[in-house]
């Protein structure tokens, strides 16, 4: 259970890194997520044929989401930043 919570924290780091434009959050969140998926692949689902297929589908979905993100980055960022507190929004706008 604690490894799954760690995985969720890494996913949150990836999301925050994308919203706050902090690559370090995205990189370390991705490394932690890959570590959890490696644990699942080598320890939990060692003999499963379905798990590699599932990981392939998830990977293709992530690639598709990355393409959508690139196409609509401005609109997604503006909507996400509108949900942030005013002080944080001001800090991000002065950074760029």
């Amino acid at each position: 259970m604690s490894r799954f919570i760690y995985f969720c924290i890494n996913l949150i780091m990836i999301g925050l890194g994308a919203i706050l434009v902090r690559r370090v959050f995205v990189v370390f969140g991705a490394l932690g997520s890959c570590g959890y998926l490696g644990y699942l692949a080598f320890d939990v689902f060692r003999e499963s044929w379905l798990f590699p297929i599932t990981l392939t589908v998830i990977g293709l979905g992530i690639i598709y989401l990355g393409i959508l993100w690139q196409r609509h980055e401005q609109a997604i960022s503006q909507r996400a930043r509108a949900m942030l507190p005013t002080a944080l929004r001001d800090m991000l706008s002065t950074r760029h």
Side-chain angles (χ1 to χ4, degrees):
M1 182 67 176
S2 63
R3 291 183 184 188
F4 179 72
I5 293 171
Y6 175 71
F7 175 67
C8 291
I9 290 170
N10 284 307
L11 292 179
I12 291 170
M13 282 179 54
I14 293 171
L16 283 175
I19 292 171
L20 299 176
V21 193
R22 300 288 184 185
R23 290 184 184 163
V24 70
F25 288 167
V26 176
V27 168
F28 286 112
L31 288 174
S33 298
C34 288
Y36 179 72
L37 291 176
Y39 157 73
L40 288 178
F42 290 110
D43 292 341
V44 179
F45 297 107
R46 178 174 294 189
E47 300 295 325
S48 174
W49 281 85
L50 188 59
F51 189 70
I53 295 169
T54 305
L55 282 182
T56 302
V57 171
I58 290 171
L60 291 173
I62 289 172
I63 291 170
Y64 178 71
L65 288 175
I67 292 170
L68 286 178
W69 176 271
Q70 281 187 332
R71 288 185 183 169
H72 307 289
E73 182 178 4
Q74 292 295 333
I76 294 170
S77 294
Q78 287 176 355
R79 283 188 212 138
R81 287 183 183 185
M83 291 185 262
L84 295 175
T86 307
L88 189 56
R89 256 185 285 162
D90 294 339
M91 182 189 75
L92 289 173
S93 65
T94 58
R95 184 173 171 254
H96 284 54

